[in-house]
Amino acid sequence: MHEKGEHVMAHVNECKGCNQTVMVPEEAIEKMVDSIPQDQVNRVNEPTYEKRIRACYHCSSLLYKTTCKHCGCLVKYKAKFADKECPHPQGSRW
């Protein structure tokens, strides 16, 4: 039982996949992107990837210059996959 006024912070960092912070260093994102095999079947080609990333960078739903407000994904990672879509509620920006 907790004393009156005592705050329990059991779920402080629970944010759609976040475990420590919502700020992800660019180097960590690049490492994740680079870990995707070049010959992976569902990986988009570079021009498609660049087009997707440009759309994300111009979207008002991009948080921290890395994260989609609607799904919580790191856009540079998600944009690499052909079977993924932009989750914008008004329709995909890709």
Side-chain angles (χ1 to χ4, degrees):
M1 189 124 168
H2 300 284
E3 296 294 321
K4 187 175 183 178
E6 184 178 338
H7 294 14
V8 179
M9 300 190 66
H11 302 288
V12 172
N13 293 320
E14 292 187 18
C15 170
K16 292 190 181 191
C18 299
N19 56 16
Q20 291 183 6
T21 180
V22 295
M23 303 299 287
V24 180
E26 185 67 26
E27 301 81 37
I29 296 170
E30 292 301 327
K31 187 175 181 180
M32 287 188 321
V33 169
D34 290 344
S35 73
I36 304 168
Q38 292 289 336
D39 61 350
Q40 184 163 335
V41 175
N42 69 337
R43 184 179 168 136
V44 298
N45 62 32
E46 198 61 26
T48 300
Y49 176 71
E50 292 299 326
K51 181 180 176 185
R52 288 178 169 196
I53 292 302
R54 275 193 306 278
C56 291
Y57 284 160
H58 288 98
C59 182
S60 62
S61 298
L62 185 66
L63 304 174
Y64 317 109
K65 299 180 184 178
T66 60
T67 307
C68 176
K69 170 182 173 179
H70 302 291
C71 68
C73 293
L74 296 170
V75 297
K76 280 190 166 184
Y77 186 78
K78 184 175 184 173
K80 283 283 186 181
F81 296 97
D83 61 342
K84 302 296 182 192
E85 293 183 1
C86 166
H88 199 282
Q90 294 175 344
S92 177
R93 306 293 172 142
W94 300 344

